[in-house]
């Protein structure tokens, strides 16, 4: 049964999609079956895996509203064991369609419930905003992974995101766990990066991953070639950092039982 992890930060530019794509790729390379669900209307995670967008193609939008079966949306990638479901601009229309729908927060959860048994991990790349799509993504997940850029504005955004997570936990009675915060765009040469990192590690009440994702040219270039960093430049510092992160995620498996991960709590509320 898959661990469903939403990669989320309400602030843009934190390395959210970069993390979703590259962490998924490295977990797949380590032998795990992984599904990446692009749930951002911009479709950047899909592009990062080499997907060529066409508005006539089926996307997560069509699965969300029940127009097609989940299996018809799954695409293979250039990385063995890594599949993805693409997104496109149609997904923005779902915001309007879901507003008046009954149990509107549970559409993605119902959709993914049909796929959980096929994978070890399902990652959801969420949009950098708070909307009904974001809420659907969090309710569909067991856990959230939070990329945090090594700058002071990110600390403010982190507090706001935690408030949103607590609202989901309390108002929707959903036992959403925090997998951890991931420090991104880190530059050990800059005093600001070092200070912000120290503050996060000192004051964040939840887990902070040991891996720190550097500010790296290769990570910025890889999406333009439609490749995760493992295929674009596997010896680069960014690639090494994401490989370490993947191993940290796997190591968590040894520290959590299935009950602790909340697998028994994925029943659909109607």
């Amino acid at each position: 049964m898959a661990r469903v992890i939403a990669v989320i930060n309400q602030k843009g530019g934190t390395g959210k999609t970069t993390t979703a794509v590259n962490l998924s790729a490295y977990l797949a390379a380590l032998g795990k079956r992984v599904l990446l669900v692009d749930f951002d209307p911009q479709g950047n995670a899909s592009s990062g895996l080499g997907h060529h967008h066409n508005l006539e193609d089926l996307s997560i939008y069509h699965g969300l509203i029940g127009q097609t079966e989940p299996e018809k949306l799954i695409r293979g990638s250039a990385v063995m064991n890594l599949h993805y479901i693409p997104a496109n601009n149609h997904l923005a229309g779902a915001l309007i369609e879901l507003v008046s729908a009954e149990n509107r927060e549970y559409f993605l959860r119902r959709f993914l419930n049909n796929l959980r048994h096929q994978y070890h991990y399902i990652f959801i790349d969420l949009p950098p905003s708070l909307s009904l799509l974001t809420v659907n993504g969090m309710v569909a997940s067991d856990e959230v992974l939070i990329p945090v850029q090594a700058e002071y504005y990110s600390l403010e955004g982190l507090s706001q995101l935690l408030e949103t997570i607590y609202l989901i936990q309390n108002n929707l009675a959903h036992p959403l766990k925090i997998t951890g915060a991931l420090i991104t765009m880190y530059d050990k040469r800059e005093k600001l990066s070092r200070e912000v990192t120290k503050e996060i590690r000192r004051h964040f009440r939840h887990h902070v991953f040991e891996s720190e994702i550097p500010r790296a040219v290769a990570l910025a270039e890889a999406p333009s070639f439609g490749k995760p960093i493992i295929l674009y430049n596997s010896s680069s510092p960014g690639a090494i950092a994401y490989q370490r992160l993947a191993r940290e995620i796997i190591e968590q498996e040894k520290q959590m039982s299935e009950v602790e991960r909340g697998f028994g709590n994925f029943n659909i509320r109607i």
Side-chain angles (χ1 to χ4, degrees):
M1 188 75 76
R3 236 175 120 178
V4 183
I5 303 175
V7 184
I8 181 173
N9 195 315
Q10 293 170 203
K11 180 181 181 298
T14 61
K16 174 184 62 62
T17 297
T18 298
T19 295
V21 169
N22 291 301
L23 176 56
S24 295
Y26 268 107
L27 284 168
L30 291 170
K32 302 297 183 180
R33 295 190 305 276
V34 183
L35 175 66
L36 174 58
V37 179
D38 192 345
F39 208 57
D40 185 341
Q42 298 179 77
N44 290 335
S46 311
S47 299
L49 290 176
H51 181 77
H52 299 288
H53 292 283
N54 185 332
L55 289 178
E56 296 180 0
D57 290 343
L58 294 174
S59 68
I60 186 62
Y61 165 80
H62 299 93
L64 191 71
I65 63 174
Q67 284 190 3
T68 189
E69 298 299 317
E71 289 76 13
K72 294 182 179 179
L73 300 176
I74 297 172
R75 311 290 180 87
S77 76
V79 179
M80 186 177 294
N81 296 320
L82 174 58
H83 297 157
Y84 71 96
I85 297 178
N88 58 29
N89 290 337
H90 287 309
L91 190 57
L95 285 170
I96 299 173
E97 296 179 44
L98 293 179
V99 165
S100 59
E102 187 177 358
N103 299 303
R104 59 188 182 182
E105 300 90 354
Y106 297 90
F107 274 61
L108 183 61
R109 182 171 175 169
R110 283 195 290 261
F111 173 81
L112 290 183
N113 195 42
N114 298 310
L115 299 172
R116 286 176 64 98
H117 65 285
Q118 300 179 30
Y119 296 95
H120 293 109
Y121 296 93
I122 297 176
F123 286 95
I124 308 172
D125 183 38
L126 294 179
S129 60
L130 180 58
S131 67
L132 191 50
L133 293 181
T134 314
V135 173
N136 260 265
M138 288 193 285
V139 171
S141 303
D142 304 314
E143 313 165 42
V144 293
L145 188 156
I146 309 170
V148 185
Q149 189 176 354
E151 64 171 36
Y152 277 115
Y153 283 132
S154 293
L155 296 177
E156 296 180 4
L158 185 57
S159 298
Q160 295 170 359
L161 177 57
L162 288 177
E163 290 179 8
T164 301
I165 292 171
Y166 297 149
L167 286 173
I168 295 292
Q169 292 170 332
N170 296 327
N171 293 353
L172 296 178
H174 179 51
L176 187 64
K177 300 180 184 298
I178 297 176
T179 306
L182 172 68
I183 297 166
T184 62
M185 301 183 189
Y186 176 73
D187 188 340
K188 63 182 179 182
R189 299 169 299 178
E190 294 182 358
K191 182 179 179 181
L192 178 61
S193 278
R194 297 195 303 271
E195 288 181 349
V196 171
T197 298
K198 186 183 297 184
E199 287 296 305
I200 294 171
R201 294 196 180 280
R202 181 181 298 166
H203 298 295
F204 189 59
R205 288 181 285 173
H206 305 276
H207 179 67
V208 180
F209 290 101
E210 290 298 321
S211 302
E212 295 167 347
I213 310 303
R215 189 182 297 275
V217 173
L219 284 175
E221 290 177 342
S224 65
F225 291 89
K227 295 180 179 180
I229 193 66
I230 191 174
L231 298 181
Y232 180 69
N233 189 344
S234 61
S235 62
S236 65
I240 293 169
Y242 275 114
Q243 184 182 50
R244 288 174 179 165
L245 176 63
R247 294 188 184 279
E248 280 194 69
I249 291 287
I250 292 174
E251 185 64 25
Q252 286 183 332
E253 302 293 329
K254 302 175 183 178
Q255 302 170 11
M256 299 186 300
S257 68
E258 288 194 354
V259 173
E260 289 173 328
R261 275 183 261 157
F263 285 167
N265 296 319
F266 199 75
N267 299 317
I268 304 303
R269 284 177 47 179
I270 300 297

